[in-house]
Amino acid sequence: MFGRSRLLLPAMLLLPLAVAPAHSTTMVSQSVEQLATRSTAVVRAMTVATRSSWTASRAIETTAGLRVIESLAGSFGRGQEIEVVVPGGEIDGIQMIAIGAPLFTVAEEVVVFVERVTSDRLGVIDLAQGKFEVRRDAAGVERLTRAGLDGVEFVAAAKPVQPSDLATLRTRVSRALRDHR
């Protein structure tokens, strides 16, 4: 009896380690200024469509159709529709989750830091770090939130301060691009 409990105790102590969540993606934390200066464009947009497809390497990716509401940087104009491609998605009940990738929902208002992935494809810079959701609070202030960063471990000396509202984001993007020239 005593011998069995002696083996059981170490196993019980190790059990929490076996079920502890593991971080699947490691990223360098980026400030709005860093995202802005590395982006092809920064747009405020409405998500108008999403579709998932298989890649040549048998992974799933999602293409989000965005209608530009406002261009904070870059050459996309109001009303223009662009598409950004992100890893992950679902096809015929098969789901691929890419930890740290942004998720898009139709009718969702977003601010996206866009990068040119290939000559004919756009992506979101630094995955979910490059996407903010825009929501109006009770006072009508356009607030920013982020999603899709669960399971991401950040490496950086200090986590950058993220803007809480759209007006602050506009100012910081504008200033970053002016100072970067």
Side-chain angles (χ1 to χ4, degrees), residues 30-45 66 68 70-74 76 82-86 102 104 109-117 121-134 144-146 161-163 165-166 168-177:
Q30 299 291 306
S31 69
V32 165
E33 291 78 7
Q34 290 167 313
L35 293 170
T37 57
R38 294 177 37 237
S39 296
T40 303
V42 182
V43 297
R44 175 179 167 201
L66 306 175
V68 176
E70 172 186 8
S71 179
L72 283 69
F76 297 118
I82 63 171
E83 292 184 334
V84 293
V85 179
V86 296
F104 289 88
E109 188 175 332
V110 297
V111 172
V112 181
F113 291 77
V114 178
E115 68 178 332
R116 188 155 301 283
V117 179
R121 288 170 53 110
L122 300 171
V124 178
I125 199 162
D126 287 326
L127 298 172
Q129 288 188 84
K131 177 192 173 230
F132 288 91
E133 295 155 15
V134 181
L144 302 176
T145 60
R146 269 199 177 138
V161 176
Q162 299 304 331
D165 61 82
L166 187 56
T168 302
L169 179 88
R170 276 188 198 104
T171 301
R172 288 178 60 185
V173 167
S174 176
R175 187 177 302 141
L177 295 174

Short mmCIF file of all heavy atoms in Angstrom, two decimals, residues 30-45 66 68 70-74 76 82-86 102 104 109-117 121-134 144-146 161-163 165-166 168-177:
data_model
loop_
_atom_site.label_atom_id
_atom_site.label_comp_id
_atom_site.label_asym_id
_atom_site.label_seq_id
_atom_site.Cartn_x
_atom_site.Cartn_y
_atom_site.Cartn_z
N GLN A 30 4.27 44.02 -31.67
CA GLN A 30 4.46 45.17 -32.55
C GLN A 30 3.59 46.34 -32.12
O GLN A 30 2.43 46.17 -31.78
CB GLN A 30 4.09 44.80 -33.98
CG GLN A 30 4.92 43.68 -34.57
CD GLN A 30 6.34 44.09 -34.81
OE1 GLN A 30 6.61 45.08 -35.48
NE2 GLN A 30 7.28 43.34 -34.28
N SER A 31 4.15 47.52 -32.17
CA SER A 31 3.37 48.73 -31.90
C SER A 31 2.61 49.11 -33.17
O SER A 31 2.92 48.65 -34.27
CB SER A 31 4.29 49.88 -31.49
OG SER A 31 5.08 50.28 -32.60
N VAL A 32 1.64 49.98 -33.02
CA VAL A 32 0.91 50.51 -34.17
C VAL A 32 1.88 51.19 -35.13
O VAL A 32 1.77 51.05 -36.36
CB VAL A 32 -0.19 51.50 -33.71
CG1 VAL A 32 -0.71 52.33 -34.85
CG2 VAL A 32 -1.31 50.74 -33.03
N GLU A 33 2.85 51.90 -34.59
CA GLU A 33 3.83 52.59 -35.42
C GLU A 33 4.65 51.60 -36.24
O GLU A 33 4.90 51.82 -37.43
CB GLU A 33 4.74 53.46 -34.54
CG GLU A 33 4.05 54.65 -33.92
CD GLU A 33 3.17 54.33 -32.70
OE1 GLU A 33 3.18 53.17 -32.21
OE2 GLU A 33 2.45 55.23 -32.25
N GLN A 34 5.06 50.50 -35.63
CA GLN A 34 5.82 49.48 -36.35
C GLN A 34 4.97 48.84 -37.44
O GLN A 34 5.43 48.63 -38.57
CB GLN A 34 6.33 48.41 -35.38
CG GLN A 34 7.42 48.92 -34.47
CD GLN A 34 7.70 47.96 -33.32
OE1 GLN A 34 6.78 47.47 -32.67
NE2 GLN A 34 8.98 47.70 -33.08
N LEU A 35 3.72 48.53 -37.12
CA LEU A 35 2.82 47.95 -38.12
C LEU A 35 2.62 48.91 -39.28
O LEU A 35 2.66 48.51 -40.44
CB LEU A 35 1.47 47.60 -37.47
CG LEU A 35 1.47 46.49 -36.43
CD1 LEU A 35 0.12 46.44 -35.71
CD2 LEU A 35 1.80 45.15 -37.05
N ALA A 36 2.39 50.19 -38.97
CA ALA A 36 2.11 51.19 -40.01
C ALA A 36 3.28 51.35 -40.97
O ALA A 36 3.07 51.42 -42.19
CB ALA A 36 1.75 52.53 -39.38
N THR A 37 4.48 51.43 -40.44
CA THR A 37 5.63 51.68 -41.32
C THR A 37 6.00 50.46 -42.16
O THR A 37 6.68 50.61 -43.17
CB THR A 37 6.86 52.16 -40.52
OG1 THR A 37 7.18 51.19 -39.53
CG2 THR A 37 6.58 53.51 -39.87
N ARG A 38 5.54 49.29 -41.79
CA ARG A 38 5.82 48.07 -42.55
C ARG A 38 4.68 47.67 -43.47
O ARG A 38 4.81 46.73 -44.24
CB ARG A 38 6.15 46.94 -41.58
CG ARG A 38 7.45 47.18 -40.83
CD ARG A 38 7.78 46.10 -39.79
NE ARG A 38 7.42 44.78 -40.19
CZ ARG A 38 6.61 43.99 -39.48
NH1 ARG A 38 6.10 44.39 -38.34
NH2 ARG A 38 6.32 42.78 -39.91
N SER A 39 3.56 48.37 -43.41
CA SER A 39 2.36 48.00 -44.18
C SER A 39 2.34 48.63 -45.56
O SER A 39 2.86 49.73 -45.76
CB SER A 39 1.10 48.45 -43.43
OG SER A 39 0.98 47.77 -42.21
N THR A 40 1.70 47.95 -46.48
CA THR A 40 1.42 48.50 -47.81
C THR A 40 0.31 49.54 -47.70
O THR A 40 0.32 50.55 -48.38
CB THR A 40 0.97 47.36 -48.76
OG1 THR A 40 1.99 46.38 -48.79
CG2 THR A 40 0.66 47.88 -50.14
N ALA A 41 -0.66 49.24 -46.80
CA ALA A 41 -1.80 50.14 -46.60
C ALA A 41 -2.40 49.87 -45.22
O ALA A 41 -2.21 48.79 -44.65
CB ALA A 41 -2.85 49.93 -47.67
N VAL A 42 -3.12 50.85 -44.71
CA VAL A 42 -3.89 50.70 -43.48
C VAL A 42 -5.29 51.19 -43.82
O VAL A 42 -5.46 52.33 -44.24
CB VAL A 42 -3.31 51.53 -42.30
CG1 VAL A 42 -4.12 51.29 -41.03
CG2 VAL A 42 -1.83 51.21 -42.08
N VAL A 43 -6.27 50.30 -43.70
CA VAL A 43 -7.63 50.66 -44.08
C VAL A 43 -8.63 50.35 -42.97
O VAL A 43 -8.47 49.39 -42.23
CB VAL A 43 -8.08 49.95 -45.38
CG1 VAL A 43 -7.23 50.37 -46.55
CG2 VAL A 43 -8.11 48.45 -45.22
N ARG A 44 -9.62 51.22 -42.91
CA ARG A 44 -10.82 50.93 -42.11
C ARG A 44 -11.80 50.38 -43.13
O ARG A 44 -12.00 50.99 -44.20
CB ARG A 44 -11.33 52.21 -41.49
CG ARG A 44 -12.63 52.05 -40.74
CD ARG A 44 -13.01 53.39 -40.16
NE ARG A 44 -14.37 53.39 -39.69
CZ ARG A 44 -15.09 54.49 -39.51
NH1 ARG A 44 -14.55 55.68 -39.78
NH2 ARG A 44 -16.30 54.42 -39.07
N ALA A 45 -12.40 49.22 -42.83
CA ALA A 45 -13.22 48.56 -43.84
C ALA A 45 -14.34 47.76 -43.19
O ALA A 45 -14.31 47.47 -41.99
CB ALA A 45 -12.36 47.63 -44.69
N LEU A 66 -13.12 42.89 -48.24
CA LEU A 66 -13.27 44.09 -47.43
C LEU A 66 -13.64 45.27 -48.32
O LEU A 66 -13.01 45.49 -49.36
CB LEU A 66 -11.97 44.41 -46.69
CG LEU A 66 -11.35 43.30 -45.84
CD1 LEU A 66 -10.00 43.74 -45.29
CD2 LEU A 66 -12.28 42.90 -44.72
N VAL A 68 -13.54 49.20 -48.43
CA VAL A 68 -12.83 50.28 -47.75
C VAL A 68 -13.81 51.40 -47.39
O VAL A 68 -14.54 51.90 -48.24
CB VAL A 68 -11.68 50.82 -48.63
CG1 VAL A 68 -11.00 52.01 -47.96
CG2 VAL A 68 -10.67 49.71 -48.93
N GLU A 70 -12.42 53.91 -45.21
CA GLU A 70 -11.46 55.01 -45.05
C GLU A 70 -10.06 54.45 -45.22
O GLU A 70 -9.76 53.38 -44.71
CB GLU A 70 -11.64 55.60 -43.64
CG GLU A 70 -10.62 56.60 -43.22
CD GLU A 70 -10.79 57.04 -41.76
OE1 GLU A 70 -11.62 56.46 -41.02
OE2 GLU A 70 -10.08 57.96 -41.38
N SER A 71 -9.22 55.19 -45.91
CA SER A 71 -7.82 54.80 -46.05
C SER A 71 -6.99 55.64 -45.08
O SER A 71 -6.97 56.87 -45.19
CB SER A 71 -7.35 55.02 -47.48
OG SER A 71 -5.98 54.67 -47.58
N LEU A 72 -6.35 54.98 -44.13
CA LEU A 72 -5.48 55.69 -43.19
C LEU A 72 -4.07 55.82 -43.76
O LEU A 72 -3.32 56.70 -43.37
CB LEU A 72 -5.44 54.97 -41.84
CG LEU A 72 -6.65 55.16 -40.93
CD1 LEU A 72 -7.88 54.49 -41.46
CD2 LEU A 72 -6.33 54.66 -39.54
N ALA A 73 -3.73 54.91 -44.67
CA ALA A 73 -2.43 54.95 -45.35
C ALA A 73 -2.54 54.07 -46.60
O ALA A 73 -3.29 53.10 -46.61
CB ALA A 73 -1.33 54.43 -44.43
N GLY A 74 -1.80 54.43 -47.63
CA GLY A 74 -1.82 53.63 -48.85
C GLY A 74 -2.77 54.20 -49.88
O GLY A 74 -3.33 55.28 -49.72
N PHE A 76 -5.61 52.65 -51.40
CA PHE A 76 -6.96 52.14 -51.59
C PHE A 76 -7.97 53.24 -51.29
O PHE A 76 -7.87 53.94 -50.29
CB PHE A 76 -7.22 50.93 -50.69
CG PHE A 76 -6.33 49.76 -51.01
CD1 PHE A 76 -5.44 49.27 -50.07
CD2 PHE A 76 -6.36 49.16 -52.26
CE1 PHE A 76 -4.61 48.20 -50.37
CE2 PHE A 76 -5.54 48.09 -52.57
CZ PHE A 76 -4.66 47.61 -51.61
N ILE A 82 -11.24 45.13 -51.55
CA ILE A 82 -9.96 44.43 -51.57
C ILE A 82 -10.16 43.08 -50.91
O ILE A 82 -11.15 42.86 -50.19
CB ILE A 82 -8.83 45.22 -50.85
CG1 ILE A 82 -9.14 45.39 -49.35
CG2 ILE A 82 -8.60 46.56 -51.53
CD1 ILE A 82 -7.99 45.98 -48.55
N GLU A 83 -9.24 42.16 -51.15
CA GLU A 83 -9.29 40.86 -50.50
C GLU A 83 -7.98 40.63 -49.78
O GLU A 83 -6.90 40.92 -50.32
CB GLU A 83 -9.49 39.74 -51.53
CG GLU A 83 -10.85 39.75 -52.17
CD GLU A 83 -11.06 38.58 -53.11
OE1 GLU A 83 -10.06 38.03 -53.66
OE2 GLU A 83 -12.23 38.19 -53.31
N VAL A 84 -8.07 40.14 -48.54
CA VAL A 84 -6.90 39.73 -47.78
C VAL A 84 -7.01 38.24 -47.50
O VAL A 84 -8.09 37.72 -47.26
CB VAL A 84 -6.73 40.53 -46.47
CG1 VAL A 84 -6.44 41.99 -46.74
CG2 VAL A 84 -7.94 40.38 -45.56
N VAL A 85 -5.87 37.56 -47.55
CA VAL A 85 -5.83 36.12 -47.32
C VAL A 85 -5.14 35.86 -45.99
O VAL A 85 -4.10 36.45 -45.69
CB VAL A 85 -5.06 35.42 -48.46
CG1 VAL A 85 -4.98 33.93 -48.23
CG2 VAL A 85 -5.72 35.72 -49.80
N VAL A 86 -5.78 35.01 -45.17
CA VAL A 86 -5.22 34.64 -43.87
C VAL A 86 -5.24 33.13 -43.72
O VAL A 86 -6.08 32.45 -44.32
CB VAL A 86 -6.01 35.30 -42.71
CG1 VAL A 86 -5.88 36.82 -42.76
CG2 VAL A 86 -7.46 34.89 -42.71
N PRO A 102 -5.83 36.27 -37.75
CA PRO A 102 -7.07 37.03 -37.57
C PRO A 102 -8.25 36.27 -38.15
O PRO A 102 -8.12 35.54 -39.13
CB PRO A 102 -6.81 38.33 -38.35
CG PRO A 102 -5.81 37.94 -39.39
CD PRO A 102 -4.96 36.86 -38.77
N PHE A 104 -12.23 36.84 -39.61
CA PHE A 104 -13.11 37.87 -40.16
C PHE A 104 -14.54 37.34 -40.18
O PHE A 104 -14.78 36.18 -40.48
CB PHE A 104 -12.68 38.24 -41.58
CG PHE A 104 -11.41 39.02 -41.64
CD1 PHE A 104 -10.18 38.38 -41.71
CD2 PHE A 104 -11.43 40.41 -41.61
CE1 PHE A 104 -9.00 39.10 -41.75
CE2 PHE A 104 -10.25 41.14 -41.64
CZ PHE A 104 -9.03 40.49 -41.71
N GLU A 109 -16.86 45.60 -38.80
CA GLU A 109 -16.05 46.76 -39.17
C GLU A 109 -14.66 46.58 -38.57
O GLU A 109 -14.53 46.25 -37.38
CB GLU A 109 -16.68 48.04 -38.67
CG GLU A 109 -15.98 49.29 -39.18
CD GLU A 109 -16.68 50.57 -38.76
OE1 GLU A 109 -17.91 50.56 -38.56
OE2 GLU A 109 -15.97 51.59 -38.64
N VAL A 110 -13.63 46.79 -39.37
CA VAL A 110 -12.26 46.51 -38.95
C VAL A 110 -11.31 47.62 -39.39
O VAL A 110 -11.61 48.38 -40.30
CB VAL A 110 -11.75 45.16 -39.53
CG1 VAL A 110 -12.58 44.00 -39.01
CG2 VAL A 110 -11.76 45.17 -41.05
N VAL A 111 -10.16 47.66 -38.74
CA VAL A 111 -9.00 48.39 -39.25
C VAL A 111 -7.94 47.33 -39.48
O VAL A 111 -7.65 46.54 -38.57
CB VAL A 111 -8.48 49.47 -38.28
CG1 VAL A 111 -7.17 50.05 -38.77
CG2 VAL A 111 -9.52 50.56 -38.09
N VAL A 112 -7.41 47.29 -40.70
CA VAL A 112 -6.46 46.24 -41.07
C VAL A 112 -5.18 46.87 -41.61
O VAL A 112 -5.22 47.79 -42.43
CB VAL A 112 -7.08 45.31 -42.14
CG1 VAL A 112 -6.11 44.19 -42.51
CG2 VAL A 112 -8.38 44.71 -41.65
N PHE A 113 -4.06 46.36 -41.12
CA PHE A 113 -2.74 46.74 -41.62
C PHE A 113 -2.40 45.70 -42.70
O PHE A 113 -2.19 44.52 -42.39
CB PHE A 113 -1.71 46.72 -40.49
CG PHE A 113 -1.92 47.81 -39.48
CD1 PHE A 113 -2.92 47.71 -38.52
CD2 PHE A 113 -1.13 48.94 -39.50
CE1 PHE A 113 -3.13 48.71 -37.58
CE2 PHE A 113 -1.32 49.97 -38.57
CZ PHE A 113 -2.33 49.84 -37.61
N VAL A 114 -2.41 46.15 -43.95
CA VAL A 114 -2.32 45.25 -45.09
C VAL A 114 -0.89 45.19 -45.60
O VAL A 114 -0.19 46.20 -45.65
CB VAL A 114 -3.26 45.76 -46.23
CG1 VAL A 114 -3.16 44.89 -47.46
CG2 VAL A 114 -4.69 45.85 -45.72
N GLU A 115 -0.48 43.99 -46.00
CA GLU A 115 0.82 43.81 -46.65
C GLU A 115 0.63 43.04 -47.95
O GLU A 115 -0.29 42.23 -48.07
CB GLU A 115 1.81 43.08 -45.74
CG GLU A 115 1.47 41.63 -45.48
CD GLU A 115 2.49 40.93 -44.62
OE1 GLU A 115 3.67 41.31 -44.63
OE2 GLU A 115 2.11 39.98 -43.94
N ARG A 116 1.48 43.34 -48.91
CA ARG A 116 1.44 42.61 -50.17
C ARG A 116 2.22 41.32 -49.96
O ARG A 116 3.39 41.33 -49.64
CB ARG A 116 2.06 43.44 -51.30
CG ARG A 116 1.86 42.78 -52.64
CD ARG A 116 1.88 43.74 -53.80
NE ARG A 116 0.89 44.79 -53.79
CZ ARG A 116 -0.40 44.63 -54.10
NH1 ARG A 116 -0.85 43.46 -54.40
NH2 ARG A 116 -1.23 45.65 -54.11
N VAL A 117 1.53 40.18 -50.11
CA VAL A 117 2.14 38.86 -49.91
C VAL A 117 2.82 38.41 -51.19
O VAL A 117 3.94 37.91 -51.17
CB VAL A 117 1.08 37.84 -49.44
CG1 VAL A 117 1.69 36.47 -49.26
CG2 VAL A 117 0.41 38.30 -48.16
N ARG A 121 -1.62 39.17 -54.30
CA ARG A 121 -2.29 38.77 -53.05
C ARG A 121 -1.91 39.68 -51.90
O ARG A 121 -0.75 40.05 -51.75
CB ARG A 121 -1.93 37.33 -52.67
CG ARG A 121 -2.56 36.32 -53.58
CD ARG A 121 -2.03 34.91 -53.36
NE ARG A 121 -2.08 34.44 -52.00
CZ ARG A 121 -2.90 33.49 -51.56
NH1 ARG A 121 -3.76 32.93 -52.38
NH2 ARG A 121 -2.85 33.09 -50.32
N LEU A 122 -2.92 40.01 -51.10
CA LEU A 122 -2.71 40.83 -49.90
C LEU A 122 -2.94 39.97 -48.66
O LEU A 122 -3.75 39.04 -48.69
CB LEU A 122 -3.68 42.01 -49.88
CG LEU A 122 -3.59 42.99 -51.04
CD1 LEU A 122 -4.75 43.98 -50.98
CD2 LEU A 122 -2.26 43.72 -51.01
N GLY A 123 -2.25 40.31 -47.60
CA GLY A 123 -2.43 39.64 -46.31
C GLY A 123 -2.51 40.68 -45.21
O GLY A 123 -2.42 41.88 -45.46
N VAL A 124 -2.66 40.20 -44.00
CA VAL A 124 -2.69 41.06 -42.83
C VAL A 124 -1.32 40.94 -42.16
O VAL A 124 -0.88 39.84 -41.83
CB VAL A 124 -3.81 40.64 -41.85
CG1 VAL A 124 -3.80 41.52 -40.62
CG2 VAL A 124 -5.16 40.70 -42.55
N ILE A 125 -0.66 42.08 -41.97
CA ILE A 125 0.68 42.06 -41.41
C ILE A 125 0.66 41.56 -39.96
O ILE A 125 -0.22 41.92 -39.20
CB ILE A 125 1.36 43.44 -41.55
CG1 ILE A 125 2.86 43.30 -41.42
CG2 ILE A 125 0.79 44.45 -40.59
CD1 ILE A 125 3.62 44.49 -41.97
N ASP A 126 1.58 40.70 -39.63
CA ASP A 126 1.74 40.14 -38.28
C ASP A 126 0.46 39.51 -37.73
O ASP A 126 0.11 39.65 -36.56
CB ASP A 126 2.30 41.19 -37.31
CG ASP A 126 3.77 41.45 -37.59
OD1 ASP A 126 4.48 40.51 -37.98
OD2 ASP A 126 4.19 42.60 -37.42
N LEU A 127 -0.23 38.82 -38.62
CA LEU A 127 -1.42 38.06 -38.26
C LEU A 127 -2.42 38.92 -37.49
O LEU A 127 -2.73 40.02 -37.93
CB LEU A 127 -1.02 36.79 -37.50
CG LEU A 127 -0.14 35.81 -38.31
CD1 LEU A 127 0.38 34.69 -37.43
CD2 LEU A 127 -0.89 35.24 -39.50
N ALA A 128 -2.94 38.43 -36.36
CA ALA A 128 -4.01 39.16 -35.64
C ALA A 128 -3.54 40.47 -35.03
O ALA A 128 -4.36 41.32 -34.68
CB ALA A 128 -4.62 38.27 -34.56
N GLN A 129 -2.22 40.68 -34.92
CA GLN A 129 -1.74 41.98 -34.44
C GLN A 129 -2.12 43.08 -35.43
O GLN A 129 -2.26 44.24 -35.05
CB GLN A 129 -0.23 41.98 -34.26
CG GLN A 129 0.26 41.17 -33.09
CD GLN A 129 1.74 41.39 -32.89
OE1 GLN A 129 2.14 42.36 -32.24
NE2 GLN A 129 2.56 40.50 -33.43
N GLY A 130 -2.29 42.71 -36.70
CA GLY A 130 -2.58 43.68 -37.74
C GLY A 130 -4.06 43.90 -38.00
O GLY A 130 -4.43 44.45 -39.03
N LYS A 131 -4.93 43.47 -37.06
CA LYS A 131 -6.37 43.66 -37.25
C LYS A 131 -7.01 44.14 -35.95
O LYS A 131 -6.81 43.56 -34.90
CB LYS A 131 -7.04 42.35 -37.66
CG LYS A 131 -8.56 42.49 -37.80
CD LYS A 131 -9.22 41.12 -37.91
CE LYS A 131 -10.73 41.29 -37.88
NZ LYS A 131 -11.37 40.42 -36.91
N PHE A 132 -7.74 45.24 -36.06
CA PHE A 132 -8.54 45.75 -34.95
C PHE A 132 -10.00 45.69 -35.35
O PHE A 132 -10.33 45.95 -36.52
CB PHE A 132 -8.19 47.21 -34.64
CG PHE A 132 -6.86 47.41 -33.99
CD1 PHE A 132 -5.73 47.64 -34.76
CD2 PHE A 132 -6.72 47.38 -32.61
CE1 PHE A 132 -4.49 47.83 -34.18
CE2 PHE A 132 -5.49 47.58 -32.01
CZ PHE A 132 -4.37 47.80 -32.79
N GLU A 133 -10.88 45.39 -34.41
CA GLU A 133 -12.32 45.47 -34.65
C GLU A 133 -12.80 46.82 -34.13
O GLU A 133 -12.34 47.28 -33.09
CB GLU A 133 -13.02 44.33 -33.93
CG GLU A 133 -12.62 42.98 -34.50
CD GLU A 133 -12.77 41.84 -33.52
OE1 GLU A 133 -13.45 42.00 -32.49
OE2 GLU A 133 -12.19 40.79 -33.79
N VAL A 134 -13.69 47.46 -34.88
CA VAL A 134 -14.21 48.77 -34.50
C VAL A 134 -15.63 48.59 -33.97
O VAL A 134 -16.47 47.99 -34.63
CB VAL A 134 -14.26 49.73 -35.72
CG1 VAL A 134 -14.79 51.10 -35.32
CG2 VAL A 134 -12.87 49.84 -36.37
N LEU A 144 -11.64 50.34 -30.26
CA LEU A 144 -10.91 49.27 -30.93
C LEU A 144 -10.73 48.09 -29.99
O LEU A 144 -10.42 48.28 -28.81
CB LEU A 144 -9.55 49.77 -31.38
CG LEU A 144 -9.54 50.97 -32.32
CD1 LEU A 144 -8.13 51.41 -32.60
CD2 LEU A 144 -10.26 50.64 -33.62
N THR A 145 -10.91 46.91 -30.52
CA THR A 145 -10.61 45.68 -29.78
C THR A 145 -9.82 44.77 -30.69
O THR A 145 -9.79 44.96 -31.91
CB THR A 145 -11.90 44.97 -29.31
OG1 THR A 145 -12.68 44.62 -30.46
CG2 THR A 145 -12.72 45.84 -28.38
N ARG A 146 -9.19 43.79 -30.07
CA ARG A 146 -8.44 42.79 -30.84
C ARG A 146 -8.90 41.41 -30.41
O ARG A 146 -9.17 41.17 -29.25
CB ARG A 146 -6.95 42.90 -30.54
CG ARG A 146 -6.22 43.81 -31.46
CD ARG A 146 -4.75 43.49 -31.39
NE ARG A 146 -4.01 44.29 -32.31
CZ ARG A 146 -2.86 44.87 -32.02
NH1 ARG A 146 -2.34 44.73 -30.83
NH2 ARG A 146 -2.23 45.57 -32.92
N VAL A 161 1.90 49.91 -26.11
CA VAL A 161 0.59 50.40 -25.73
C VAL A 161 -0.27 50.44 -26.99
O VAL A 161 0.11 51.07 -27.98
CB VAL A 161 0.67 51.80 -25.09
CG1 VAL A 161 -0.71 52.34 -24.80
CG2 VAL A 161 1.52 51.74 -23.83
N GLN A 162 -1.41 49.78 -26.94
CA GLN A 162 -2.29 49.73 -28.10
C GLN A 162 -3.37 50.80 -27.96
O GLN A 162 -3.83 51.07 -26.85
CB GLN A 162 -2.91 48.35 -28.24
CG GLN A 162 -1.89 47.25 -28.43
CD GLN A 162 -0.97 47.48 -29.64
OE1 GLN A 162 -1.33 48.10 -30.62
NE2 GLN A 162 0.24 46.96 -29.55
N PRO A 163 -3.76 51.41 -29.06
CA PRO A 163 -4.80 52.45 -28.98
C PRO A 163 -6.15 51.85 -28.60
O PRO A 163 -6.45 50.72 -28.96
CB PRO A 163 -4.83 53.02 -30.40
CG PRO A 163 -4.35 51.90 -31.25
CD PRO A 163 -3.34 51.15 -30.42
N ASP A 165 -9.06 53.69 -29.16
CA ASP A 165 -10.11 54.26 -30.01
C ASP A 165 -9.55 54.60 -31.39
O ASP A 165 -8.35 54.73 -31.59
CB ASP A 165 -10.74 55.50 -29.36
CG ASP A 165 -9.73 56.59 -29.13
OD1 ASP A 165 -9.45 57.34 -30.09
OD2 ASP A 165 -9.21 56.69 -28.01
N LEU A 166 -10.45 54.74 -32.34
CA LEU A 166 -10.08 54.96 -33.73
C LEU A 166 -9.37 56.29 -33.95
O LEU A 166 -8.41 56.37 -34.72
CB LEU A 166 -11.33 54.87 -34.62
CG LEU A 166 -11.11 54.91 -36.13
CD1 LEU A 166 -10.16 53.82 -36.59
CD2 LEU A 166 -12.44 54.79 -36.85
N THR A 168 -7.36 57.90 -31.93
CA THR A 168 -5.96 57.75 -31.49
C THR A 168 -5.17 56.94 -32.50
O THR A 168 -4.02 57.26 -32.82
CB THR A 168 -5.90 57.09 -30.09
OG1 THR A 168 -6.64 57.89 -29.18
CG2 THR A 168 -4.47 56.94 -29.61
N LEU A 169 -5.76 55.89 -33.04
CA LEU A 169 -5.09 55.07 -34.03
C LEU A 169 -4.76 55.90 -35.27
O LEU A 169 -3.64 55.84 -35.78
CB LEU A 169 -5.95 53.87 -34.42
CG LEU A 169 -5.32 52.97 -35.49
CD1 LEU A 169 -4.44 51.93 -34.84
CD2 LEU A 169 -6.39 52.33 -36.33
N ARG A 170 -5.73 56.69 -35.75
CA ARG A 170 -5.48 57.55 -36.92
C ARG A 170 -4.27 58.45 -36.68
O ARG A 170 -3.40 58.59 -37.54
CB ARG A 170 -6.69 58.45 -37.18
CG ARG A 170 -7.79 57.86 -37.97
CD ARG A 170 -8.83 58.94 -38.32
NE ARG A 170 -10.07 58.34 -38.70
CZ ARG A 170 -11.15 58.27 -37.93
NH1 ARG A 170 -11.17 58.79 -36.73
NH2 ARG A 170 -12.24 57.70 -38.38
N THR A 171 -4.24 59.10 -35.52
CA THR A 171 -3.15 60.02 -35.18
C THR A 171 -1.82 59.30 -35.15
O THR A 171 -0.82 59.78 -35.71
CB THR A 171 -3.43 60.69 -33.82
OG1 THR A 171 -4.66 61.40 -33.91
CG2 THR A 171 -2.30 61.63 -33.43
N ARG A 172 -1.79 58.12 -34.52
CA ARG A 172 -0.53 57.39 -34.40
C ARG A 172 -0.03 56.86 -35.74
O ARG A 172 1.17 56.91 -36.02
CB ARG A 172 -0.68 56.26 -33.38
CG ARG A 172 -0.75 56.81 -31.95
CD ARG A 172 -0.94 55.76 -30.92
NE ARG A 172 0.14 54.79 -30.90
CZ ARG A 172 0.14 53.71 -30.13
NH1 ARG A 172 -0.88 53.46 -29.31
NH2 ARG A 172 1.16 52.86 -30.16
N VAL A 173 -0.94 56.41 -36.59
CA VAL A 173 -0.53 55.94 -37.92
C VAL A 173 0.01 57.12 -38.72
O VAL A 173 1.08 57.03 -39.34
CB VAL A 173 -1.71 55.27 -38.65
CG1 VAL A 173 -1.40 55.07 -40.14
CG2 VAL A 173 -2.05 53.92 -38.01
N SER A 174 -0.69 58.23 -38.73
CA SER A 174 -0.28 59.42 -39.47
C SER A 174 1.10 59.91 -39.00
O SER A 174 1.98 60.19 -39.82
CB SER A 174 -1.32 60.51 -39.30
OG SER A 174 -0.91 61.69 -39.94
N ARG A 175 1.27 60.01 -37.70
CA ARG A 175 2.54 60.46 -37.14
C ARG A 175 3.68 59.50 -37.48
O ARG A 175 4.78 59.93 -37.85
CB ARG A 175 2.40 60.61 -35.62
CG ARG A 175 3.64 61.25 -34.98
CD ARG A 175 3.46 61.47 -33.49
NE ARG A 175 2.31 62.33 -33.25
CZ ARG A 175 1.44 62.16 -32.25
NH1 ARG A 175 1.58 61.17 -31.41
NH2 ARG A 175 0.44 62.98 -32.10
N ALA A 176 3.42 58.21 -37.37
CA ALA A 176 4.45 57.21 -37.68
C ALA A 176 4.92 57.31 -39.12
O ALA A 176 6.11 57.27 -39.40
CB ALA A 176 3.94 55.80 -37.38
N LEU A 177 3.97 57.47 -40.04
CA LEU A 177 4.33 57.56 -41.45
C LEU A 177 5.04 58.87 -41.76
O LEU A 177 5.98 58.89 -42.57
CB LEU A 177 3.08 57.38 -42.33
CG LEU A 177 2.44 56.00 -42.22
CD1 LEU A 177 1.14 55.96 -43.02
CD2 LEU A 177 3.39 54.92 -42.68
#
